[in-house]
Amino acid sequence: MKISFLLHNAYGIGGTITTTFNLAHALAERHEVEIVSVLRHREHPNFTLDPKVSLRPLVDLRQEKEHPLHLRPARVFPRAEYRYGQYSELTDQRIGECLATIDADVVIGTRPGLNVHLALQTPSHVGRIGQEHLTLDNHPPRLRNTLRRAYRRLDVLTTVTEADAAAYRRKMRLPGVRVEALPNSVPDPTLPAADSTAKVVVAAGRLVQVKRYDLLIEAFAAVAAEYPDWQLRIYGKGEEHDRLRQLIVDLGLWNNVFLMGAAAPMEAEWVKGSIGAAASNFEPFGMTIVEAMRCGLPVVSTDCPYGPGEIIDDGVDGRLVPVGDRDALGAALLELVRDDDRRRRMGSAALENARRFAPGPVVEQAEQLLAEAVAARQAGRPAAQERLGAGRVLVSQGFAARDAAFTAASGALRMVRKEQR
């Protein structure tokens, strides 16, 4: 089977890039796989790409940033999508040309705007799989309206959690589209697992507000007060760096909390710790949680929508605490810091329980979905049989009406503000 991934920018750093590379590498063991990167801004990707996976950029920003068509707004890529400002008539044109001539059996989109391109422009004989790495409820109403129309042309839609798959089934009527949860996978570790003796808590991810590293630092102050020989190491870069640095100084934690910068891959850093930590207000999946657990670390995390609660078995391989609760987060960290035996037991459980996110099980499920999408296209039938009762139809229609009303009201408000200028 020839499989093509359509990715925003394979040359950057981020969870979607990581999981796309992971899945592509695993699929390349038995299939012909390529990654089509809409954008390119540097010579080589940040992450190492398996030689068996081909990489094809469409727009090279090093030479084409000022291309006349790139200075005009996109018309196919939806305006309400988060990345809209990075798309243009040039990206519309290149993506359209790519899809029109694609020789793959199945194409996989990796974000809502690209899924729209996929749904509208992929030839009818090619299987169409849309991936969602965020959540339905996280999308603005205007985007949800667009997706309701476009996603009906997909064969399969995958989400990273069961909770989000259920939300799509309940709120978006997508007749004939198979909606399934397909978790992100993390490759098998190449280093020995952490032995739970290091006095280090490790966190990783973009330094942005939603990740709440400020809350984690404040919570860790309780640990440092009781155990001054313990450290918190935070890996990543982002807009919150300077504010977090100042918070560390204000709390007098300069000997305990360290902003380590970005590290890719993270495996060598996870195994230097004994506890993983995450404090997000919102986490569609929780890639770093799985990475930490696969290295033998129990993880203390906020129980935010949607991922952590589907990854961590509270009290067995980690701890879940209420979102935004600094004291509960600090207490959960202290619970593991104080008890060496419990920390070791939970680390072993994390290592074992996280095996379900290994490439093997995830790739097996992905291959089945890919094969079903291709078979459905070849047979000229939908990938899923619609089994919606009247009640579910009314529920999905209600959500659609609500989003349409909100979008209309927002448009009217924008018009009034424009006239008042």
Side-chain angles (χ1 to χ4, degrees), residues 94-116:
R94 298 280 173 84
I95 295 170
E97 291 170 349
C98 169
L99 292 174
T101 58
I102 201 93
D103 63 347
D105 298 297
V106 61
V107 183
I108 303 171
T110 55
R111 64 176 307 111
L114 297 180
N115 294 340
V116 170

Side-chain angles (χ1 to χ4, degrees), residues 304-327:
C304 61
Y306 283 118
E310 292 191 15
I311 299 171
I312 296 170
D313 187 353
D314 189 28
V316 176
D317 52 24
R319 289 298 321 279
L320 293 169
V321 301
V323 174
D325 192 331
R326 177 195 61 198
D327 294 338

Side-chain angles (χ1 to χ4, degrees), residues 112-353:
L114 297 180
N115 294 340
V116 170
H117 273 280
L118 188 69
L120 299 178
Q121 298 175 319
T122 304
S124 60
H125 67 278
V126 178
R128 308 168 181 183
I129 293 186
Q131 289 184 339
E132 281 284 0
H133 291 278
L134 289 174
T135 68
L136 178 62
D137 291 340
N138 189 243
H139 296 324
R142 186 178 179 187
L143 180 58
R144 290 198 293 261
N145 284 333
T146 300
L147 301 185
R148 276 189 180 88
R149 296 187 296 271
Y151 278 10
R152 294 184 176 203
R153 297 170 178 245
L154 298 175
D155 298 303
V156 177
L157 176 66
T158 68
T159 64
V160 289
T161 63
E162 290 288 352
D164 197 38
Y168 269 94
R169 296 186 195 111
R170 186 175 69 255
K171 299 179 179 181
M172 305 272 282
R173 191 182 174 207
L174 303 174
V177 180
R178 183 168 180 178
V179 180
E180 295 287 345
L182 180 69
N184 294 331
S185 69
V186 172
D188 296 325
T190 59
L191 299 173
D195 61 9
S196 300
T197 60
K199 298 179 178 181
V200 177
V201 176
V202 182
R206 293 177 298 120
L207 304 185
V208 293
Q209 190 172 2
V210 72
K211 299 293 186 180
R212 291 308 307 273
Y213 289 111
D214 57 337
L215 185 77
L216 178 58
I217 292 169
E218 291 170 355
F220 190 79
V223 176
E226 190 170 333
Y227 294 89
D229 53 344
W230 273 73
Q231 295 181 359
L232 168 62
R233 298 177 185 173
I234 300 173
Y235 292 85
K237 59 183 180 179
E239 61 198 41
E240 289 278 285
H241 180 276
D242 292 346
R243 190 173 78 87
L244 296 175
R245 173 65 66 194
Q246 188 58 51
L247 178 62
I248 292 168
V249 172
D250 292 344
L251 295 177
L253 295 173
W254 48 80
N255 289 324
N256 300 95
V257 180
F258 302 92
L259 301 180
M260 307 293 291
M266 267 292 297
E267 183 184 349
E269 311 309 323
W270 290 121
V271 298
K272 295 174 186 175
S274 291
I275 302 169
S280 299
N281 287 340
F282 168 76
E283 197 67 70
F285 180 66
M287 193 73 167
T288 59
I289 296 175
V290 177
E291 288 178 354
M293 293 173 66
R294 295 225 69 197
C295 290
L297 274 64
V299 178
V300 176
S301 173
T302 48
D303 191 14
C304 61
Y306 283 118
E310 292 191 15
I311 299 171
I312 296 170
D313 187 353
D314 189 28
V316 176
D317 52 24
R319 289 298 321 279
L320 293 169
V321 301
V323 174
D325 192 331
R326 177 195 61 198
D327 294 338
L329 184 60
L333 289 169
L334 274 170
E335 179 183 307
L336 297 185
V337 168
R338 289 171 180 156
D339 192 334
D340 294 345
D341 289 339
R342 186 173 191 194
R343 188 170 68 247
R344 192 174 300 110
R345 287 196 307 272
M346 292 178 76
S348 297
L351 189 64
E352 179 62 30
N353 293 347

